[in-house]
């Protein structure tokens, strides 16, 4: 059974080519299994509770390119990132005849494998650095920043004339920006390396001479969330330069000639001009470590993890921990130090090493003679492998201490900090061995760690060259790891890891496809054949990204074909516009139903197309035309008329003209305008509209006359309807004039009567109404008269009109409705409707009314 | 302000939708700013109402908002941050750019956040730029742009509305389909929360449009729907759905029926007869509130129980929703049943108070029961007073001769009795003579045109002429609008513009529909046995159609009879047999009923109205849901609540 576990674990974490050169010479595989190597052999205590170890990770593969760190300048990126080198221009070097004289910038993996070599013809490099996303940033003396991705593709950013004119004194980088000191001692920051960099000049710190040294506090660590700069002045002062201004930070440590802020952003390490290393918090409130070293400042000073610093002088590497404790290492060649969050990477001509603090849990497992359960468990397993009874003894010991579970946990945890798969598997097997003695142990954590270790082992392979530690991997995140692999063109490995860890792999696939379409020598058809079948069944692929890559490489046709696979119109349409395929863009926008997209196309097409083409575009697409019409109605009548014209909506244009005519302030202009409009309607065979418009003209003319006539009454007639006009004339008491207008417009007698009733009643002219009602028989009966009186609250007046109504039942209802019970009863009596009289009598609320009705019935 | 509408009784968890919308709004307010702390919120007047249904002023103040202003040309604020919450309307852009340019010239440092609702648009941004505002990030004007995707707002436990003003005109007359796109987005949000809806039926061109869009959006999303995880963690109470991403939500909704308003234009045009419908017609309901004369309200008491006198000249905003248990029973009744109902309720309340007398000799448990019920009864008592007053006001209208005349004319036209045309024309003449409100007039004219086959051109022309003479020349354009929509004119010829289809374009269309859908049923309004009770005998076509659609085989028949574009789609449901329970089971507990489709008593059915829905139609759907033998529970989704008057408002030339 145990054999099975062993095999399974090896399978789970994967196997890697062993490069454990220093520690475990596996001369005899069989023997090596029997006695576990002493992993703690080359540990070195730095303080009482911190032990450090130096491990060799890779044999540098650059051997055949004869990289000698004496002859080149090199710079490395954190998180096991790439290394860039270039010939050291400051040194006179012998160049062998077979080597090109042209300088080159080369990018290597951490294992020394060449990724890209760029022939350098851009002029003098001032400084360089790596960005967060592994872009190589090269600042030229001319204040131009060149940004290279790992494939050597270049973007140029100009930092501005201001900086160029002053000249660059110094420049330092942080993962997402840089700071420049000009020769006039002004500080500039630049944030972001995207297409629109933000360059900003900071407050003048008023320096008299160049700073003795300076360093950056990254925005994520500063209180202002903006980059801050620590400047050690020539006089030994310390200035903090931030977005809000300069503050002085007095201290007595002397002038610093080299400074570095810890990876946590809280602690400063500075090397003074008097040859001391001082480490302490940024406010200088206490000393964490002081150490008198050489007078000569170190070539390199960098942080090793969170709490120690490494200093390098040629020949000597010194690690300094809290309290000034130190370990010395001998290096004869030049080396490159790359600071990591949990240690430091040391690149020599032949090796890539990692110096780091030994994790506590690892110490617990590997320290020989330790009395701790994890160590017992590890030993027990060793003995078990060797079939020694001591194994059982040790297990009993652990079980008695009741700490078996902790021991298993510790072995699992320790495994993640190991680079060597065989050590990992030994630890995991120990854990698995211990697990067997436990009643229950959840497998999740174990499984998860195996999974991640397998991934880590795969990317640590020297061909890939990403020596990520467990902690670095977790700080970076799995998505970032995938990105890093993609950038190194490790698409296959990246997709496999995605599948394995259940991550989104679309970006990897798109990146791969983009690289494919860039290959100029391959035919469109061939590219489609290789790309489409692999990608089309994966949801969420951004075809737009691939298409735009194709378009950027002058392959418009291929781009259009690729775009057809894109289902997200919001992505597809902008690219089509960019590709000047407005017609297709508009169709796709309409198809999506997203009006915002339709507008986007229209706005652009209007700019880029001729009028004729633009309106042609609209003609067959009513959805788009409608939207544009709506927009123009609020902004631009000129364009609106053109649209209407080109779409054959002549009638709509006349309507617009009418609205324009009506908008005139002067009535004569309105009349003039409408006359023309009526003609246009006629020509467009809109006869009803023509007649109506002509009638309006006629009405306006009369209204003008009326206004002149009734000037003293200050009554306005224009812009009111015909009914209103008649109403006003009657209200002014000129019934005859109203009659004339009635005839002029053939207003029916019925309608005229309605208007008259309202006109008189609204005014309260009851006499007028009475006179009007008696002039001729009402064509609408007398009920409206009565109702109007009631509405106006004049019930008394209503009675006479009710009396003139014809239907007795209606009369009664009207009367009772206005609380006139006796009159209602009288009315019912007239009609000889006795039942009704009785009913009224029953419903009448007042006693005197009831009595009256009773008397009627009796009488 | 009044308490928020309680959504606990929703069939689907609408509370989650609302709290999601609230959180996303508050998180916009929260967006971090540099130094200034005081925020002024400037809003588009039409957004206040809908927003009030989502978030209260108090919660906005907690996010640092100190001032609230309506958007006007003149704006004086001493706040360092100004947040505009506006629809992307052209006129607003001009006002805002005016503000920004003024601050710039005064050298006043103001940070501006423009929040577009429901979407940011190219056009609005372009206009701002054209007006000379720098909207680039970190630009000189400190302007940032965001969007607040307020799509569907819960108006009640069974209504979600977009609350878009003039949507009918925009969509059907002007051809601006933005609202349809937003509706589709809203439906996608619902599907993200409540699962893919298996069955979809759509009637009308716009309805089909929406179906196409949601199918497309689902494809675009690659099968993964937008997760409704509110951006702040504070909201992670049990009610927020989908805390477990990557698990497909089971379908809680069975069917969705999408209807174009143009499928049934008659129903909104005729006078409503349900209580809520009449409240809307007479007082006007907006965003679930009605503005009432203070004299109609029950006596108001402050916290100490003292009576407050309200200023008599100011209308009081009164919520109308299912928080009021009495109103729930009342709102959908036919007006003739309202009186008896309220009388019964008042009697019940009186009865309850009478028990107090008997308590003197009663046991402790009796007293406890009494006091326990007291708050509810007091609430019902207040509600009874309110609705008695409102009903009295309504009765004044409904009992008037003119109201009954109108009903007779409408009924005559609908049934198409022998002298319908004649009496309708006479009635129209009378209204013109009385210069009745034009909306009222046009409603009758539209019903006339839609129900009467082959109106002679002379009658039509004369109607137009009469209206223009009485209401002004510009009504010429109103008629053009109505003609374009197929609401006026000879309904036997196809409508002029071609892009709109009003369903009643068949010769004798109305008469045929009447028969097929049995729209006329004699009912007892007080004990209804058919949805026709809502109109005292006429079953609204739209709802009858919905009713038929859900019957087995009914869709095919109903769809054939009613002309117009249609579609029917069955969406495939993602297979989730094994994976679902893993880590995602908290969701089940969160859903209001926690039951899957199979276990639920009734199938949840969404009815989507594009172009608005009337209170009466809602009442009819509710009645259907409440029937004991009903298999379905209806949820209404609409672009807005309308009635004939408000619908026509936007079509009338001003």
């Amino acid at each position: 059974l145990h054999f099975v576990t062993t095999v399974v674990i090896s399978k789970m974490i994967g196997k890697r080519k062993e490069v454990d050169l220093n520690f475990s010479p596996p001369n005899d595989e069989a023997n090596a299994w029997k006695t576990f190597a002493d992993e703690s052999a080359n540990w070195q205590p730095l303080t009482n509770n911190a032990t450090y170890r130096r491990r060799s990770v890779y044999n540098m593969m650059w051997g055949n390119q004869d990289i000698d760190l004496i002859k080149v300048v090199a710079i490395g990126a954190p998180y096991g990132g790439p290394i860039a080198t270039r010939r050291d221009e400051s040194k006179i070097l012998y160049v062998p005849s077979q080597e090109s004289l042209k300088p080159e910038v080369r990018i290597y993996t951490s294992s020394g494998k060449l990724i890209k070599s760029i022939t350098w013809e851009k002029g003098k490099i001032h400084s360089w650095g790596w960005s967060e996303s592994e872009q190589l940033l090269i600042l030229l003396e001319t204040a131009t920043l060149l940004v290279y991705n790992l494939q050597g593709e270049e973007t140029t950013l100009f930092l501005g004339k201001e900086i160029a004119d002053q000249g660059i004194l110094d420049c330092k980088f942080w993962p997402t920006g840089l700071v420049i000191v000009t020769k006039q001692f002004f500080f500039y920051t630049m944030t972001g390396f995207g297409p629109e960099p933000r360059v900003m000049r900071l407050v003048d710190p008023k320096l008299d001479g160049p700073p003795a040294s300076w360093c950056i506090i990254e925005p994520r660590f500063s209180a202002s969330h903006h980059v801050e700069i620590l400047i050690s002045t020539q006089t030994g002062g310390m200035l903090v330069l931030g977005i809000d201004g300069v503050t002085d930070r007095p201290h007595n440590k002397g002038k610093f000639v080299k400074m570095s802020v810890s990876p946590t952003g809280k602690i400063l390490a500075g090397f003074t001009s008097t040859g001391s290393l001082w480490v302490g918090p940024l406010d200088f409130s206490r000393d964490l470590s002081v150490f008198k070293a050489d007078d000569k400042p170190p070539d390199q000073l960098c942080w090793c993890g969170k709490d120690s610093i490494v200093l390098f002088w040629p020949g000597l590497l010194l690690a300094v921990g809290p309290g000034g404790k130190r370990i010395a290492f001998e290096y004869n060649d030049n080396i490159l130090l790359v600071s990591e969050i949990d240690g430091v990477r040391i690149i020599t001509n032949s090796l890539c090493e990692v110096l780091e603090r030994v994790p506590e849990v690892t110490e617990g497992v590997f320290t020989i003679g330790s009395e701790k359960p994890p160590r017992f468990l590890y030993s027990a397993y060793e003995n078990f492998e060797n079939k020694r009874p001591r194994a059982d003894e040790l297990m009993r010991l652990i079980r008695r201490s009741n700490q078996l579970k902790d021991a298993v946990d510790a072995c699992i945890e320790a495994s993640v900090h190991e680079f060597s798969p065989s050590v990992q598997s030994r630890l995991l097997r120990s854990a698995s061995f211990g697990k067997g003695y436990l009643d229950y142990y959840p497998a999740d954590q174990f499984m998860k760690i195996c999974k991640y270790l397998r991934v880590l082992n795969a990317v640590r392979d020297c061909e890939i060259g990403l020596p990520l530690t467990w902690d670095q991997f977790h700080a970076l995140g799995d998505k970032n790891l995938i990105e890093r692999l993609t950038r190194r063109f490790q698409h296959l490995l990246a997709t496999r890891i995605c599948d394995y860890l259940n991550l989104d792999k679309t970006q990897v696939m798109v990146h791969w496809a983009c690289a494919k379409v860039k290959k100029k020598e391959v035919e469109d058809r061939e590219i489609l054949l290789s790309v489409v079948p692999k990608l089309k069944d994966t949801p969420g692929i951004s075809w737009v990204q691939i298409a735009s890559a194709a378009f950027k490489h002058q392959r418009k046709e291929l781009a259009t074909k690729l775009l057809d696979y894109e289902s997200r119109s919001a992505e597809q349409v902008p690219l089509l516009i960019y590709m000047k395929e407005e017609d297709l863009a508009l169709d796709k926008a309409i198809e999506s139903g997203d009006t915002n997209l339709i507008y986007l196309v229209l706005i652009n097409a209007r700019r880029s197309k001729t009028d004729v083409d633009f309106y042609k575009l609209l003609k067959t697409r009513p959805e788009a035309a409608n939207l544009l019409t709506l927009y123009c109605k609020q902004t631009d009548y000129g364009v609106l008329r053109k649209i209407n014209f080109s779409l054959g909506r002549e009638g709509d244009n006349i309507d617009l003209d009418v609205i324009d005519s009506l908008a005139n302030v002067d009535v004569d202009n309105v009349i003039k305008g409408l006359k023309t409009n009526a003609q246009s309607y006629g020509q467009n065979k809109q006869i009803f509209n023509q007649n109506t418009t002509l009638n309006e003209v006629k009405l306006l003319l009369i209204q003008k006359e009326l206004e002149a006539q009734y000037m003293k009454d200050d009554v306005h007639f224009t812009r009111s309807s015909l009914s209103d006009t008649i109403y006003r004339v009657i209200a002014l008491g000129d019934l005859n004039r109203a009659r004339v207008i009635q005839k002029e417009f053939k207003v029916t007698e019925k309608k005229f009567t309605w208007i008259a009733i309202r006109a008189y009643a609204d005014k309260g002219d009851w006499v007028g109404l009475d006179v009007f009602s008696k002039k001729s028989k009402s064509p609408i009966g007398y009920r409206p008269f009565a109702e109007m009186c009631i509405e106006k609250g004049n019930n008394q007046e209503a009675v006479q009109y009710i009396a003139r109504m014809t239907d007795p039942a209606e009369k009664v209802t009207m009367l009772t409705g206005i609380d006139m019970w006796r009159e209602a009863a009288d009315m019912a009596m007239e009609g000889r409707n006795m039942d009704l009289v009785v009913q009224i009598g029953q419903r009448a609320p007042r006693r005197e009314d009831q009595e009256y009705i009773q008397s009627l019935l009796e009488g | 302000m009044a308490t928020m509408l309680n959504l606990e009784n929703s069939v689907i968890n609408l509370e989650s939708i609302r709290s999601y919308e609230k959180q996303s709004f508050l998180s916009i307010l929260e967006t971090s700013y540099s130094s200034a702390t005081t925020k002024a919120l400037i809003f588009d007047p039409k957004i206040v109402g809908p927003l009030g249904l989502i978030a209260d002023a108090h919660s906005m103040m907690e996010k640092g908002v100190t001032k609230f202003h309506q958007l006007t040309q003149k704006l004086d604020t001493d706040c360092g941050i100004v947040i505009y919450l506006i629809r992307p309307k052209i006129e607003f852009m001009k006002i805002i750019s005016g503000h920004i340019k003024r601050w710039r010239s005064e050298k006043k440092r103001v940070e501006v956040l423009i929040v577009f609702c429901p979407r940011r648009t190219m056009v609005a941004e372009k206009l701002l730029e054209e007006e000379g505002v720098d909207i680039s990030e970190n630009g000189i004007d400190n302007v940032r742009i965001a969007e607040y995707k307020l799509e569907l707002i819960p108006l009640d436990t069974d209504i979600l509305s977009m609350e878009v003003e003039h949507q009918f005109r925009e969509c059907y007359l002007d051809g601006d389909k933005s609202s349809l796109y937003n509706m589709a987005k809203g439906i996608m949000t619902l599907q993200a929360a409540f699962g893919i809806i298996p069955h979809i039926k759509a009637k009308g061109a716009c309805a089909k449009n929406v179906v196409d869009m949601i199918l497309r959006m689902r494809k675009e999303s690659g099968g993964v729907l937008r997760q409704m995880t509110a951006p702040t963690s504070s909201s992670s109470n049990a009610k927020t759905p989908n805390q477990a991403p990557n698990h497909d939500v089971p379908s809680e909704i069975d069917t969705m029926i999408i209807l174009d308003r143009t499928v049934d234009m008659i129903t909104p045009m005729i006078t409503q007869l349900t209580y809520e419908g009449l409240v809307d017609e007479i007082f006007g309901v907006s965003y679930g509130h009605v503005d009432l004369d203070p004299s109609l309200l029950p006596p108001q008491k402050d916290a100490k129980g003292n009576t407050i006198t309200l200023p008599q000249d100011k209308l009081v905003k009164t919520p109308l929703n299912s928080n009021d248990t009495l109103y729930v029973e009342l709102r959908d009744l036919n007006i003739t049943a309202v009186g008896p109902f309220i009388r019964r309720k008042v009697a019940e309340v009186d009865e309850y108070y009478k028990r107090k007398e008997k308590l003197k000799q009663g046991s402790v448990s009796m007293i406890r029961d009494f006091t326990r019920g007291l708050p509810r009864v007091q609430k019902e008592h207040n509600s009874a007073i309110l609705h008695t007053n409102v009903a009295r006001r309504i009765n004044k209208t409904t009992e008037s001769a003119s109201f009954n005349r109108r009903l007779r004319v409408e009924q005559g036209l609908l049934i198409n009795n022998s002298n319908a045309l004649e009496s309708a024309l006479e009635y129209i003449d009378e209204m013109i003579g009385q210069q009745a409100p034009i909306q009222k007039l046009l409603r009758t004219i539209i019903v006339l045109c839609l129900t009467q086959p082959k109106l002679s051109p002379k009658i039509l022309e004369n109607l137009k002429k009469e209206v223009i003479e009485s209401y002004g020349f510009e009504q010429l354009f109103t008629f053009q609008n109505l003609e374009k929509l197929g609401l006026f004119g000879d309904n036997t010829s196809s409508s002029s513009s071609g892009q709109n289809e009003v369903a009643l374009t068949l010769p004798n269309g109305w008469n045929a529909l009447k028969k097929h859908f049995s729209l006329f049923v004699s009912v007892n309004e007080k004990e209804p046995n058919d949805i026709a009770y809502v109109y005292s005998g006429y079953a609204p076509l739209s709802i009858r159609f919905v009713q038929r659609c859900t019957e087995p085989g009914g869709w095919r028949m109903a769809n054939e009879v009613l002309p117009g574009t249609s579609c029917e789609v069955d969406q495939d449901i993602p297979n989730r047999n094994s994976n679902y329970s893993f880590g995602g089971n908290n969701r089940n507990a969160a859903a209001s009923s926690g039951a899957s489709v199979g276990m639920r008593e009734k199938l949840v059915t969404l009815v989507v109205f594009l172009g608005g829905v009337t209170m009466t139609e809602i009442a009819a759907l509710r009645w259907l849901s409440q029937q004991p033998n009903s298999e379905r529970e209806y949820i209404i989704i609409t672009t807005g609540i309308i009635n004939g008057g408000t619908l026509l408002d936007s079509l009338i030339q001003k």
Side-chain angles (χ1 to χ4, degrees), chain B residues 223-247:
Chain B
V224 185
L225 298 178
R226 181 177 118 200
Q227 294 295 320
M228 286 212 325
T229 345
T232 47
S233 56
S234 61
S235 70
S236 60
N237 53 35
K239 297 234 159 165
T240 316
N242 303 339
Q243 275 148 348
N246 296 329
H247 293 291

Side-chain angles (χ1 to χ4, degrees), chain A residues 198 539-540 566-570 572 588 591-597 599-600 603 607 622-623 626-627 630-631 633-635 649 651-652 654-656 658-659 662 674 681 686 688-689 691-693 695-696 719-724 745-748 750-751 754-755 758 783-784 787, chain B residues 89-91 94 119-123 126-127 130 136-138 169-170 173-181 185 209 212-213 216-217 219-223 401-402 426 429-435 460-462 464-474 476-477 480 484 499 653:
Chain A
R198 277 173 285 154
E566 179 63 62
S567 60
R568 285 164 297 188
S569 338
Q572 191 183 28
K588 295 282 179 193
E591 219 173 90
S592 78
D594 184 346
T595 42
N596 199 25
L597 279 180
Y599 272 127
L600 177 72
I603 289 168
R607 222 178 281 148
E623 296 90 344
N626 283 339
L627 282 181
L630 208 57
Y631 173 70
K633 259 186 196 160
Q634 297 172 76
T635 53
R649 298 174 179 171
D652 288 2
I654 309 172
D655 293 348
L656 283 181
V658 170
I659 289 164
L662 290 174
L674 287 181
Y681 275 135
Q686 289 173 280
F688 180 81
N689 287 13
N691 290 339
T692 310
T693 313
N695 271 344
E696 179 69 8
R719 290 163 212 268
S720 60
S721 70
L722 174 62
S723 297
D724 266 354
F745 288 92
K746 300 195 184 79
V747 175
T748 59
K750 272 186 182 176
K751 191 170 184 175
W754 277 110
I755 297 169
R758 274 193 294 119
R783 186 181 170 135
E787 274 175 342
Chain B
K89 295 265 171 200
I90 290 168
E91 63 261 35
K94 294 192 174 146
R119 290 187 80 201
R120 62 190 285 182
T121 66
M122 307 291 172
V123 172
K126 181 173 164 264
L127 270 162
E130 278 176 3
S136 60
E137 216 175 303
N138 295 300
R169 183 199 165 106
E170 245 175 49
L173 183 66
D174 298 334
D176 176 358
K177 307 278 171 80
S178 309
S179 55
L180 300 184
Y181 184 79
K185 286 266 178 193
N209 230 318
D212 289 345
M213 277 191 268
R216 192 187 164 85
M217 284 171 186
K219 208 176 106 206
E220 283 189 8
S221 68
S402 68
E426 193 184 325
D429 254 5
E430 221 175 284
M431 275 198 282
I432 293 173
Q434 291 163 345
Q435 199 82 18
L460 291 170
E461 205 155 284
N462 198 44
K464 264 208 276 194
K465 185 169 156 281
E466 291 283 326
V467 174
I468 290 166
E469 276 180 8
S470 283
Y471 293 85
F473 176 56
E474 58 285 356
L476 175 65
F477 300 121
Q480 279 186 191
K484 263 189 207 160
Q499 52 172 304
Q653 185 81 24

Side-chain angles (χ1 to χ4, degrees), chain A residues 757-805:
Chain A
I757 297 171
R758 274 193 294 119
Y760 287 117
D762 286 349
K763 234 175 105 192
D765 183 358
W766 306 114
V767 181
L769 185 62
D770 184 45
V771 173
F772 175 77
S773 74
K774 284 174 180 152
K775 263 193 187 149
S776 57
K777 191 173 174 290
S778 162
I780 55 172
Y782 293 91
R783 186 181 170 135
F785 287 80
E787 274 175 342
M788 199 46 127
C789 294
I790 294 165
E791 201 188 305
K792 297 286 166 196
N794 194 344
N795 293 350
Q796 216 50 56
E797 193 66 28
V799 179
Q800 64 145 317
Y801 297 112
I802 296 174
R804 287 152 80 183
M805 283 163 58

Side-chain angles (χ1 to χ4, degrees), chain A residues 241-519:
Chain A
L241 184 56
I243 182 146
D244 303 320
V246 196
T247 45
D248 202 13
R249 202 163 278 176
H251 67 96
N252 55 2
K253 316 295 173 211
K255 182 166 86 177
F256 291 117
V257 291
K258 261 197 160 54
M259 291 196 289
S260 178
V261 176
S262 73
T264 53
K266 292 197 178 80
I267 305 168
L268 177 72
F271 198 86
T272 66
S273 56
T274 53
S276 288
L277 175 74
W278 178 86
V279 184
L282 289 175
D283 58 1
F284 298 96
S285 57
R286 60 204 164 101
D287 302 344
L288 291 173
S289 180
V290 184
F291 154 62
K292 175 79 179 87
D294 207 322
D295 287 347
K296 206 175 136 237
D299 281 7
Q300 294 178 56
L301 177 157
C302 77
W303 281 84
C304 168
K306 295 176 190 78
D307 53 6
S308 59
I309 295 113
V310 287
L311 308 170
F312 177 73
W313 290 269
L316 176 71
L317 180 76
L318 215 51
V320 185
K325 301 265 176 59
R326 55 204 172 271
I327 316 167
F329 301 92
E330 203 178 308
Y331 281 94
N332 291 324
D333 295 321
N334 218 354
I335 60 170
L336 167 67
L337 297 177
V338 185
S339 187
E340 299 280 4
I341 55 162
D342 56 351
V344 63
R345 234 180 328 142
I346 305 164
I347 312 285
T348 73
N349 284 345
S350 56
L351 290 174
C352 168
E353 299 174 321
V354 168
L355 175 66
E356 60 172 6
R357 186 175 166 166
V358 179
E360 229 170 277
V361 54
T362 309
E363 241 180 297
V365 176
F366 288 142
T367 309
I368 292 172
S370 154
E371 296 278 307
K372 287 187 177 140
R375 174 69 202 174
F376 285 167
L377 178 58
Y378 185 66
S379 301
Y381 178 64
E382 184 184 12
N383 282 297
F384 173 76
E385 280 280 288
N386 289 297
K387 301 192 171 64
R388 287 199 211 120
R390 172 91 179 130
D392 183 49
E393 230 171 87
L394 284 166
M395 284 316 291
R396 280 171 199 276
L397 214 60
I398 304 170
R399 291 179 75 187
R400 216 172 299 138
S401 71
N402 236 344
Q403 283 180 307
L404 180 55
K405 186 173 176 298
D406 297 344
V408 173
D409 286 346
C411 282
I412 294 175
E413 211 192 318
S415 72
V416 307
H417 296 295
E418 294 308 313
F419 266 45
S420 151
S422 64
V423 181
Q424 291 164 2
S425 109
R426 220 178 289 156
L427 285 163
L428 288 171
R429 261 178 266 151
S430 305
S432 174
F433 174 68
K435 240 167 55 143
Y437 288 85
L438 286 167
D439 293 338
Y440 171 73
Y441 187 88
D444 310 13
Q445 184 65 5
F446 189 87
M447 299 295 287
K448 199 176 127 195
I449 280 175
C450 287
K451 215 168 180 180
Y452 282 122
L453 272 179
R454 183 170 181 187
V455 170
L456 279 179
N457 288 339
V459 302
R460 282 170 187 165
D461 188 289
C462 63
E463 286 297 321
I464 312 288
L466 272 174
L468 282 175
T469 63
W470 182 264
D471 290 342
Q472 287 166 20
F473 172 57
H474 280 275
L476 202 60
D478 39 20
K479 287 206 178 87
N480 256 317
L481 174 65
I482 299 299
E483 263 176 43
R484 278 167 191 246
L485 288 173
T486 313
R487 279 201 283 269
R488 285 166 175 75
F489 271 56
Q490 299 295 343
H491 296 114
L492 184 62
L493 180 60
T495 47
R496 283 190 180 154
I497 293 177
C498 284
D499 288 341
Y500 188 56
L501 296 182
N502 207 2
L503 299 172
D504 177 22
K505 64 179 174 188
T506 53
Q507 271 311 312
V508 182
M509 295 171 91
V510 167
H511 191 274
W512 169 79
C514 286
K516 280 263 173 200
V517 300
K518 284 176 195 166
K519 285 188 181 150

Side-chain angles (χ1 to χ4, degrees), chain B residues 98-108 141:
Chain B
H99 294 168
I100 294 173
K101 281 188 282 188
R102 202 181 67 224
W103 291 322
R104 196 201 297 157
S105 68
E106 288 169 1
K107 298 223 162 34
K108 195 165 156 188
D141 286 325

